[in-house]
Amino acid sequence: MSAIVAIVGRPNVGKSTFFNRLIQRREAIVDAVSGVTRDRHYGKSDWNGREFTVIDTGGYVLGSDDVFEVEIDKQVELAIEEADVIIFMVDVEAGVTGMDEDVANLLRRHNKPVLLAINKVDNGKRAEDAVEFYSLGLGEYYTIASISGSGTGELLDALIEVLPEQEIVEETELPRFAVVGRPNAGKSSFINALIGEERYIVTDVAGTTRDSIDTKYNRFGFEFNLVDTAGIRRKAKVKEDLEFYSVMRSVRAIEHSDVCIVILDATRGFDGQVENIFWLAQRNNKGIVILVNKWDLVEDKETNTIKQYTAKIKEAIEPFTDVPILFISVLTKQRIYKAIETAVEVFQNRSKKIQTRKFNDIMLPIIENNPPPAYKGKYVKIKFCTQLPTPYPQFAFFCNLPQYVRDPYKRFLENKLREHFDFTGVPISIFMRKK
């Protein structure tokens, strides 16, 4: 389980720029997802081999009459409560402001490690000016320049020192199916409906993600862990914000899952937050099944209603449309076992390995008949292809000019892959490499 680091401060001090720098330090960014409220983002970063989750919060403005700023303040306090370490960012150009003092007072009420980062320090004069921030009473500070990256190494070294000890997660060979979605979409009810009739439950054990529960489950001759992300401890000092915790639970559960069962409320539709969760799973290369719950509550259903609803979802998730979409009712148990059976199939698709010879026998004739378009008068010749030895489907195509193969042709190859091999519900990565 990765630790959480929250970046806080008043508006316009460079928090988002610093956040973007953090999540781009990895060669492969795990994800950066917009939150459900204004100016909050989630991302993954690492430093010196230590991974952590980063929250970029909106600017904290105490006592504002602006309805958006009041909401942002609430979200900042929730982020502080959830975080293990706080990076408090200030602006050397503006000096110590009343709003900075408000944030410092807020942080003193929480027993969390705080690192004071003074931004925009890009010359010696500004480094001298930074001394005045001692008046905030937060001890030592770190001078940085978010745009150039100056000083961020020292700040991150200090951050790693104060992060809590990384928990050792007991490895399990069982696949993990995470049930994710908005609050009140029916996640817990879905799992409860399965458990209520199923006789093969082994045990409930604490999950590797915070506030989630793993349920060992055996059906269809296949054993796996179901991860319920609905169980969340109420925070004693902070008014619970269901949207905030829904996203945080989803981030953690998705990171540790093999297949994500995305449940949405049919009466609310495939809205922005559900879409965020979907793309979070897709970018993390997880198998995906979409369940449209509460279908029994949809009124005025006609012959083509399911077809039209499916088309709207597929339009929202383009170009990754090869995803199973099932219409269920947890209340009446309509198609809930079909949903689990489908999740098992998606897991098997994600684990599929294609023999190199068979792969080339099918793909090379397709490529010969439909070669990549010429670029600047140069022709790309693909001679060989293979599946990479990774936990999820990734394929390498070896050619003479990999830099000239554009995304539309990669999508063409992906479509042909899906046409000849069943990868329904699974993201596919295609790489062009020099022969």
Side-chain angles (χ1 to χ4, degrees):
M1 182 175 69
S2 58
I4 299 178
V5 178
I7 307 171
V8 304
R10 64 175 179 79
N12 304 317
V13 295
K15 297 185 299 299
S16 294
T17 304
F18 182 63
F19 169 82
N20 290 337
R21 178 165 291 279
L22 285 186
I23 65 169
Q24 290 171 358
R25 282 194 174 276
R26 284 181 81 142
E27 275 189 20
I29 299 169
V30 177
D31 200 38
V33 184
S34 297
V36 295
T37 59
R38 224 163 128 174
D39 297 326
R40 190 178 70 245
H41 299 83
Y42 307 83
K44 291 287 291 184
S45 184
D46 67 28
W47 185 254
N48 292 340
R50 184 71 190 274
E51 286 192 352
F52 51 93
T53 298
V54 191
I55 307 175
D56 174 29
T57 64
Y60 187 82
V61 182
L62 189 64
S64 172
D65 294 329
D66 188 305
V67 64
F68 285 112
E69 289 178 348
V70 171
E71 179 64 19
I72 288 169
D73 289 353
K74 184 173 70 169
Q75 300 306 316
V76 171
E77 295 191 30
L78 287 163
I80 292 170
E81 180 66 24
E82 183 73 2
D84 297 296
V85 180
I86 315 297
I87 295 177
F88 174 23
M89 188 165 288
V90 293
D91 180 354
V92 72
E93 288 182 339
V96 178
T97 69
M99 285 187 285
D100 292 330
E101 292 173 348
D102 290 337
V103 177
N105 291 332
L106 172 66
L107 295 177
R108 271 190 281 270
R109 298 200 298 268
H110 296 267
N111 188 25
K112 303 283 179 75
V114 177
L115 300 177
L116 178 59
I118 305 176
N119 194 22
K120 305 179 185 178
V121 180
D122 50 13
N123 58 51
K125 174 65 169 61
R126 289 184 173 181
E128 294 175 4
D129 293 341
V131 175
E132 72 168 297
F133 286 92
Y134 274 123
S135 66
L136 293 174
L138 296 174
E140 292 298 320
Y141 58 77
Y142 299 87
T143 57
I144 67 169
S146 292
I147 293 178
S148 67
S150 173
T152 55
E154 291 80 359
L155 173 60
L156 291 174
D157 286 342
L159 172 66
I160 299 304
E161 289 294 320
V162 296
L163 284 180
E165 287 296 318
Q166 203 156 9
E167 294 182 19
I168 298 175
V169 178
E170 184 180 348
E171 291 295 329
T172 175
E173 294 182 359
L174 290 180
R176 290 169 58 85
F177 296 174
V179 182
V180 295
R182 286 184 65 109
N184 304 318
K187 299 185 296 295
S188 290
S189 299
F190 174 70
I191 291 180
N192 289 340
L194 293 170
I195 293 173
E197 292 185 3
E198 182 52 60
R199 303 280 182 178
Y200 299 100
I201 306 304
V202 180
T203 183
D204 287 344
V205 294
T208 57
T209 55
R210 183 175 296 177
D211 302 310
S212 69
I213 296 294
D214 281 15
T215 300
K216 283 187 179 180
Y217 191 84
N218 190 321
R219 191 168 175 80
F220 313 111
F222 190 82
E223 192 175 12
F224 51 88
N225 278 330
L226 269 177
V227 185
D228 179 14
T229 57
I232 180 71
R233 295 189 304 267
R234 279 195 174 272
K235 306 293 181 178
K237 298 180 181 179
V238 181
K239 182 179 178 182
E240 180 161 24
D241 184 299
L242 290 175
E243 303 288 351
F244 174 81
Y245 288 121
S246 174
V247 174
M248 287 308 303
R249 288 195 301 271
S250 297
V251 169
R252 289 178 176 277
I254 287 169
E255 287 173 359
H256 298 283
S257 70
D258 298 295
V259 175
C260 294
I261 300 173
V262 182
I263 296 187
L264 62 105
D265 184 336
T267 63
R268 299 188 67 166
F270 195 80
D271 61 17
Q273 185 174 344
V274 180
E275 191 172 340
N276 278 338
I277 292 170
F278 173 87
W279 289 117
L280 177 61
Q282 185 269 342
R283 292 183 188 114
N284 277 273
N285 297 293
K286 307 300 182 181
I288 302 174
V289 178
I290 297 175
L291 303 184
V292 182
N293 188 26
K294 306 183 184 180
W295 191 241
D296 53 311
L297 300 181
V298 175
E299 299 177 353
D300 301 324
K301 288 195 284 285
E302 298 177 357
T303 305
N304 294 326
T305 304
I306 286 181
K307 186 176 180 180
Q308 292 168 355
Y309 207 109
T310 300
K312 286 183 180 179
I313 293 176
K314 290 196 172 186
E315 183 180 355
I317 62 177
E318 286 180 344
F320 180 35
T321 58
D322 188 16
V323 177
I325 302 171
L326 279 71
F327 292 78
I328 70 168
S329 169
V330 171
L331 187 63
T332 64
K333 296 185 171 60
Q334 182 185 24
R335 285 189 284 273
I336 63 171
Y337 297 113
K338 176 63 176 176
I340 288 298
E341 188 177 358
T342 303
V344 170
E345 292 170 358
V346 168
F347 171 78
Q348 292 170 337
N349 291 344
R350 186 173 184 264
S351 309
K352 185 179 298 181
K353 303 298 179 188
I354 304 172
Q355 289 183 344
T356 300
R357 182 174 180 177
K358 179 181 180 182
F359 189 48
N360 281 269
D361 286 346
I362 290 176
M363 294 303 296
L364 290 183
I366 293 173
I367 292 169
E368 186 176 349
N369 292 327
N370 301 274
Y375 185 78
K376 295 183 177 179
K378 297 185 178 181
Y379 293 88
V380 178
K381 295 182 180 180
I382 299 174
K383 297 294 187 181
F384 178 74
C385 50
T386 186
Q387 183 174 1
L388 298 175
T390 54
Y392 47 86
Q394 293 188 310
F395 299 90
F397 290 78
F398 293 85
C399 58
N400 58 333
L401 299 168
Q403 69 273 24
Y404 292 150
V405 180
R406 295 296 183 250
D407 287 340
Y409 192 76
K410 290 181 182 178
R411 284 195 292 272
F412 166 77
L413 292 177
E414 179 181 338
N415 290 337
K416 290 301 178 182
L417 265 168
R418 294 186 183 278
E419 186 179 314
H420 289 85
F421 308 98
D422 186 4
F423 285 109
T424 297
V426 184
I428 292 175
S429 299
I430 290 178
F431 302 96
M432 293 294 165
R433 292 185 174 173
K434 183 76 174 177
K435 175 66 176 174

